[in-house]
Amino acid sequence: MTDHTQTLSLILSLIRSGAAVTRPDLSRRTGLGRTIITQRVDHAIRAGLVAEGEPAPSTGGRPSRVLRIAPGRGVVLGMVFGATQLHAAVTDLDGTVLAGRRTSWDIETGPEASLATLFEVSAQLLTPELTDRLWGVCVGVPGPVDFARGTAVQPPIMAGWHGFPLRDRLEAHYEVPAWVDNDANLMALGAWSTTRGSAGDNVLLVKASTGIGLGLISRGRLHRGARGAAGDLGHIIVAEESRHRCRCGQFGCLEAFAGGWALARDARAAALAGRSPFLAERLERSPAPLAVTDVLDGCRAGDPVSVELVTRAGELVGAQLASLISVFNPSTVYLAGLLAQAGDVFRDPVADVVARRSLPLATDELVIAEVGPDRSEGVVGAAALAVDELLQPEMLDQWLPHGTPRGARARKDESSGSFHLDVPPPGATGRADAGRAEARPT
């Protein structure tokens, strides 16, 4: 890896984030001289990675042009499995969504059937033109992930997925580098990447849906911990003597009280006990069991039992979140997932408990907010992760001389902790010579 590639990667990162979008801005942010900045930017433009836009506001002298990640060069595919849904999207390198689709899917069906569905859905999104420009793939799953190996590790709700070589199968199918991560991590990355200017660089995202997960952004970097287990909020024990068994096999987990499946369980008990006419009517008229969506409908209809269930879930989540906030001191906490769609019924008890139990210094400027209404943070984060990895210095140094990462595979360097590419020789793929970068200046 050369100094040239390191500085080029830094410049691309600053342009992507919007932190510096003119040559003078890049020089001020990096401390690099004007000549070096000009060389790197010109190289990025020749490689088709950066495009010049309109003139920036003048501060005296010749105005600089605004720099942006170029559209139309490469695309990435982001896909996220939830417990009951698959969401897929194709984006440009700047994160613009070009095509997307959601489909109902039970992750418990198993890895082979799930992978077949994933391939089917992506085939509907990837036109021949987009397929020809595909540079990377990232998939999120609702369970613990060994990020280095691209496999799920003993996930509580994903029978048959333990050790399944998901990344290898993705790379074999798409013939591009692929990554696999936990869904809450990708949601945190997606929410933060679109709001980083106001959210700050230390962010938590709570995914309160069928299960409960947590994504952490620390100093502008996704935090996975030593083995990828960071953020397992749902399986913190909140009631030592509880008889409520969690799906992970333990008793008394937060998820066993506040997860969507637990709320559906308690809603059924309330309906059978005659405590909620709304839920009883839902239970009677539908052949399917009650779901958390029925509880959310009850909240919107003003059903007291449904409101009580979601409020209690918010209090329990808030109690665990309060400890994390005192330890981690984030600037922003995002609430995502199905329960967040209950709005103030869920958010207010979370915020109230956090305010009571966390340190004042940790909460006096803390923002607790729901994610955007389009609920695309997962696939946006998956796409952002793929682009982030492709533009890391080690990887950029390997694929840029070929003009494309197509045909390469991502591999983890155990000594450095970073990914590198197994890159085919020039001409080994149909597009290996297309858009090849010019020789690098010294």
Side-chain angles (χ1 to χ4, degrees), residues 303-321:
D303 173 50
V305 170
S306 298
V307 171
E308 174 190 324
L309 290 173
V310 173
T311 298
R312 178 58 177 158
E315 292 171 345
L316 290 169
V317 169
Q320 302 309 310
L321 190 56

Side-chain angles (χ1 to χ4, degrees), residues 146-374:
D146 184 328
F147 184 67
R149 293 176 174 81
T151 61
V153 179
Q154 297 181 347
I157 66 166
M158 298 166 58
W161 283 82
H162 174 65
F164 181 76
L166 181 55
R167 189 180 70 204
D168 290 345
R169 295 287 295 275
L170 293 170
E171 291 185 332
H173 181 82
Y174 294 106
E175 298 185 328
V176 296
W179 293 269
V180 180
D181 209 342
N182 172 263
D183 61 342
N185 285 347
L186 298 179
M187 293 167 76
L189 186 61
W192 175 74
S193 67
T194 57
T195 61
R196 67 180 70 183
S198 59
D201 285 342
N202 297 285
V203 172
L204 298 178
L205 178 139
V206 178
K207 184 204 73 172
S209 204
T210 304
I212 298 176
L214 182 79
L216 301 92
I217 303 291
S218 177
R219 296 183 179 181
R221 303 280 296 179
L222 190 60
H223 177 76
R224 298 185 181 89
R227 290 294 309 279
D232 202 355
L233 181 66
H235 300 290
I236 293 176
I237 303 298
V238 299
E240 292 283 355
E241 305 302 324
S242 172
R243 294 184 179 181
H244 283 313
R245 187 166 192 160
C246 185
R247 296 179 299 176
C248 71
Q250 302 278 4
F251 289 87
C253 293
L254 173 63
E255 190 176 298
F257 292 90
W261 64 271
L263 267 63
R265 174 201 65 208
D266 295 343
R268 181 177 185 277
L272 293 175
R275 293 180 53 225
S276 169
F278 177 91
L279 294 172
E281 190 270 336
R282 282 289 178 99
L283 183 62
E284 182 178 353
R285 79 180 188 186
S286 174
L290 286 178
V292 65
T293 50
D294 294 305
V295 179
L296 297 179
D297 289 342
C299 287
R300 299 183 189 103
D303 173 50
V305 170
S306 298
V307 171
E308 174 190 324
L309 290 173
V310 173
T311 298
R312 178 58 177 158
E315 292 171 345
L316 290 169
V317 169
Q320 302 309 310
L321 190 56
S323 298
L324 293 176
I325 288 170
S326 292
V327 171
F328 181 63
N329 189 203
S331 52
T332 303
V333 173
Y334 288 109
L335 302 179
L338 286 170
L339 294 187
Q341 295 176 34
D344 292 346
V345 179
F346 183 71
R347 180 192 176 280
D348 285 353
V350 170
D352 289 345
V353 174
V354 165
R356 291 199 312 269
R357 296 194 179 191
S358 298
L359 294 171
L361 184 60
T363 57
D364 59 357
E365 295 183 357
L366 178 68
V367 174
I368 299 179
E370 293 94 0
V371 295
D374 64 351

Side-chain angles (χ1 to χ4, degrees), residues 372-393:
D374 64 351
R375 297 178 288 118
S376 295
E377 61 278 354
V379 291
V380 169
L385 187 146
V387 178
D388 284 344
E389 293 292 342
L390 286 171
L391 297 184
Q392 288 297 311

